[in-house]
């Protein structure tokens, strides 16, 4: 994902390849971090639900 973003943001920096990796990393992070946070919240909520169900079943 990072390499494709780094290769396509060249026109944004007018071809200055020095800044493409950092800019692409920021774009990738701004997309992936909220997704990872949402997935972790769902899995933690599922873990809490499963823990409550097992405690009630005993």
């Amino acid at each position: 994902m990072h390499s494709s973003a780094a290769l396509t943001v060249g026109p944004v920096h007018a071809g200055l390849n020095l800044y493409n990796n950092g800019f692409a990393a920021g774009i990738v992070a701004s997309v992936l971090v909220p997704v990872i946070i949402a997935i972790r919240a769902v899995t933690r909520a599922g873990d809490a639900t499963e823990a409550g169900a097992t405690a009630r079943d005993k």
Side-chain angles (χ1 to χ4, degrees), residues 2-4 13 16 18-21 23-24 28 30 34-36 39-40 42-43 47-48 50-51 53 56-58:
H2 172 77
S3 63
S4 65
H13 289 124
L16 295 175
L18 175 64
Y19 299 108
N20 282 352
N21 276 325
F23 187 69
V28 171
S30 67
V35 171
I36 292 169
I39 291 171
R40 289 176 75 187
V42 168
T43 56
D47 291 344
E50 290 174 7
R56 282 186 299 233
D57 293 339
K58 289 183 180 181

